[in-house]
Amino acid sequence: MSIGTLSLFAFLPILTALVLMVSFRWPATRAMPCAWLVSVICASLVWHMDLGLILASTLQGFGQAFTVLLIVFGAILILYTMTESGGIETINHGFHGLTTDRRIQTIIIAFVFAAFLEG
């Protein structure tokens, strides 16, 4: 098969999820298992992967998704803790103490976010 055809087969699970979620308005809990099934079918029929490798890749995906969920859970926990303890108001008060101009605040946030990403 050509590289273009293989690319289309690789994009098929993503396209399946997009079509089911956007066009048919399916929730992700229904659309993602269908996209996983399409990827399993493509892996076995197009790339001739054996079942053990498909299952191992599925378990690896679950592990990576769990890691992302832990990060999101921690971020939400910190947000709610700071909201309840009054930390958000303290940060807002200190941030508005620097400048009241929204444009400069946006530049400061962008600069700090870029520094955060580099760190």
Side-chain angles (χ1 to χ4, degrees), residues 13 15 22 24 36 55 65 83 90 95 98 107 111 114:
L15 183 66
V22 174
F24 296 111
W36 172 79
L55 291 176
T83 302
T90 304
F95 193 65
L98 293 174
I107 291 171
F111 180 76

Side-chain angles (χ1 to χ4, degrees), residues 1 42-50:
M1 274 193 227
C42 286
S44 62
L45 296 179
V46 175
W47 289 284
H48 306 292
M49 291 173 62
D50 56 324

Side-chain angles (χ1 to χ4, degrees), residues 16-38:
T16 301
L18 283 174
V19 167
L20 290 177
M21 291 175 71
V22 174
S23 298
F24 296 111
R25 298 198 183 274
W26 280 20
T29 55
R30 285 180 55 195
M32 290 304 155
C34 293
W36 172 79
L37 186 63
V38 169

Side-chain angles (χ1 to χ4, degrees), residues 27-97:
T29 55
R30 285 180 55 195
M32 290 304 155
C34 293
W36 172 79
L37 186 63
V38 169
S39 66
V40 166
I41 290 170
C42 286
S44 62
L45 296 179
V46 175
W47 289 284
H48 306 292
M49 291 173 62
D50 56 324
L51 186 61
L53 187 57
I54 292 172
L55 291 176
S57 298
T58 300
L59 288 176
Q60 182 184 10
F62 280 136
Q64 290 175 348
F66 183 71
T67 303
V68 170
L69 286 174
L70 278 177
I71 292 170
V72 170
F73 174 74
I76 291 172
L77 182 68
I78 288 173
L79 173 68
Y80 284 143
T81 303
M82 289 181 65
T83 302
E84 290 296 319
S85 68
I88 296 291
E89 288 85 17
T90 304
I91 291 172
N92 283 337
H93 180 68
F95 193 65
H96 289 297

